[in-house]
Amino acid sequence: MSFRGLLLGLFLVPVVVGAYLLTEAATADGTPRCDGIIEEYGDAERSGPMKPGETCDLYDFADGRSAGTRTYAQQGKAQEEAAAEGYRTGGWWLAYGVAGLTVVTVHLGLRRRGA
């Protein structure tokens, strides 16, 4: 494998990661979704999309404890902030990868042409 191929491969990884993060943020549904436990009528529990008026128990499945609760509005706001963070992070990863690919392609292309 050539040095140029190695560099192109290394800069392709951030492009893929950035595209994934941007796609994940762009396809986020606007409906608040509880990944913990929503206590419903009586003892019934479920996770998934929330309805107005429901409360999500942010259950930490790793240690078996509650990490707090969020209302429908709070969960929606938290998801909006997570999507915004996904856009920022994905944009930076993508920009870094594209800049690296551009530099490697242009720099090594000019060097070959000059030789």
Side-chain angles (χ1 to χ4, degrees):
M1 175 183 266
S2 69
F3 182 65
R4 180 180 184 192
L6 178 67
L7 284 177
L8 289 174
L10 287 175
F11 281 113
L12 191 61
V13 172
V15 168
V16 172
V17 170
Y20 172 77
L21 291 173
L22 287 172
T23 302
E24 189 177 59
T27 58
D29 187 1
T31 304
R33 182 171 183 77
C34 179
D35 292 330
I37 297 173
I38 302 171
E39 291 186 16
E40 289 192 283
Y41 319 101
D43 292 335
E45 296 176 345
R46 68 175 177 84
S47 59
M50 295 176 69
K51 299 173 192 153
E54 290 182 330
T55 301
C56 177
D57 184 8
L58 304 172
Y59 190 74
D60 185 359
F61 293 99
D63 67 4
R65 296 188 218 183
S66 175
T69 60
R70 285 189 186 143
T71 64
Y72 179 85
Q74 289 171 332
Q75 184 66 16
K77 178 99 171 118
Q79 286 178 207
E80 287 174 11
E81 291 172 1
E85 179 66 22
Y87 280 121
R88 269 191 305 279
T89 305
W92 282 113
W93 277 91
L94 187 64
Y96 173 76
V98 168
L101 288 173
T102 303
V103 167
V104 168
T105 304
V106 170
H107 179 70
L108 292 178
L110 289 176
R111 214 169 75 195
R112 279 189 182 176
R113 237 186 281 159

